Amino acid sequence: MASVDNANCSCNYLFINGNLNINSNSTLNIYRNLINYGNIDGSADFSQLQFCGSAAQTFINLGTVTSPISIFTVNNPNGLTIDATSNIFTALNINLYCGILTNNKKLSIVICGTTPAMIQRGASGSSNTAGSLNDSLYSFGIGSGGLNILYVSSSTTINTGYEIPTSGNVNYIYAGYSTTLSKNITISDSLNLAAGSFSKGAKTLTLGNNCTIIRSGGSLASAPVYSANVNIAYTGSNAITIANEMPVWPTSTILQNLTNSNTNSVTINRNVT
């Protein structure tokens, strides 16, 4: 049995015919192709299997992956293909830093309990187009913690895609770059507007009861649909003028909690209640 322990381990081609453990807080970087006839165990906290080459890569999983792998990452602008003969495997967190993940029906995202599962598109500081899925995942086995989606960075506007379940229900969205909805979405916990414009386009953006909008530098291109009460928090160090995140008074009196920890200024340019 081989182990990746408390460090980054990198290789080009990797053929596994036994047991490979990726220990807690460790990353296995693959720069070319990975063929697994044995077992990959990356279930320890913050263990990561990352495909980070420059030429298109392939993952052939004819063995097993101990369920679930903690972090599965695609960080290759030319993408990763999961071979069609592969066995299905699961992950807690999926990072799509750059490149397209093809044949992702061989991958499920799953988590039990109250901790949210997570899918991230784009990487902080990256100049590449944010990564994406080319099809729906095999399944979204989401527990009571729900699903968090992070839109971090991209060279172009990010259009939401298959990272959103068919139901459209997500727990939390972080909008760190200009993003446009490609389907109707309902957010149950919070929407974090960090940078860029978050646009619903021709779709519907619904905020669940007691959902919180956190605004530090981004903005909403148009007003969402409020299921009932909403909370708003202004954070960060950018000067902000209230806009589409704020329910319109006096036709709406659903604002429940208004919090300001912004270290610059927040300008209220109309009545708020």
Side-chain angles (χ1 to χ4, degrees):
M1 179 177 70
S3 294
V4 178
D5 190 13
N6 298 322
N8 291 336
C9 179
S10 301
C11 58
N12 286 322
Y13 293 95
L14 181 61
F15 179 93
I16 300 171
N17 199 27
N19 295 318
L20 175 67
N21 290 343
I22 307 173
N23 291 336
S24 179
N25 297 299
S26 300
T27 297
L28 174 60
N29 294 309
I30 306 295
Y31 286 92
R32 291 303 299 268
N33 299 331
L34 171 59
I35 302 175
N36 176 37
Y37 281 99
N39 180 71
I40 301 171
D41 187 346
S43 60
D45 289 345
F46 305 108
S47 63
Q48 179 175 208
L49 175 61
Q50 177 172 219
F51 291 85
C52 49
S54 55
Q57 293 179 266
T58 300
F59 177 29
I60 303 174
N61 180 39
L62 300 178
T64 57
V65 176
T66 299
S67 179
I69 192 166
S70 181
I71 305 170
F72 184 81
T73 299
V74 180
N75 189 15
N76 181 341
N78 286 304
L80 169 69
T81 297
I82 302 174
D83 190 81
T85 63
S86 294
N87 297 321
I88 295 166
F89 64 101
T90 62
L92 294 178
N93 303 285
I94 300 172
N95 291 325
L96 303 169
Y97 290 158
C98 62
I100 298 172
L101 177 57
T102 300
N103 201 22
N104 48 261
K105 280 188 175 295
K106 296 293 183 175
L107 173 62
S108 295
I109 190 165
V110 62
I111 192 165
C112 299
T114 58
T115 301
M118 186 275 291
I119 300 176
Q120 176 174 324
R121 292 183 59 192
S124 180
S126 174
S127 60
N128 291 312
T129 300
S132 61
L133 302 170
N134 85 322
D135 202 346
S136 58
L137 294 172
Y138 177 77
S139 68
F140 286 86
I142 306 301
S144 60
L147 175 65
N148 292 349
I149 306 290
L150 283 66
Y151 299 106
V152 175
S153 181
S154 185
S155 60
T156 60
T157 296
I158 300 172
N159 294 310
T160 65
Y162 290 110
E163 72 279 1
I164 305 295
T166 302
S167 66
N169 297 326
V170 298
N171 179 65
Y172 165 86
I173 286 182
Y174 171 86
Y177 198 81
S178 292
T179 303
T180 300
L181 298 188
S182 57
K183 68 184 302 180
N184 298 334
I185 291 179
T186 298
I187 302 173
S188 60
D189 184 80
S190 51
L191 170 62
N192 191 333
L193 301 169
S197 174
F198 193 79
S199 173
K200 65 182 180 64
K203 304 301 181 180
T204 300
L205 172 62
T206 302
L207 303 182
N209 186 29
N210 287 321
C211 187
T212 298
I213 300 174
I214 305 163
R215 187 177 171 206
S216 60
S219 62
L220 283 170
S222 56
V225 174
Y226 303 97
S227 295
N229 294 328
V230 66
N231 307 300
I232 297 177
Y234 294 105
T235 65
S237 58
N238 296 308
I240 293 174
T241 299
I242 67 168
N244 290 317
E245 75 280 357
M246 185 68 69
V248 177
W249 182 90
T251 57
S252 177
T253 57
I254 62 173
L255 179 62
Q256 184 166 328
N257 297 303
L258 178 61
T259 304
N260 179 29
S261 60
N262 182 284
T263 58
N264 195 314
S265 64
V266 176
T267 300
I268 297 176
N269 56 6
R270 52 184 167 84
N271 293 334
V272 173
T273 188

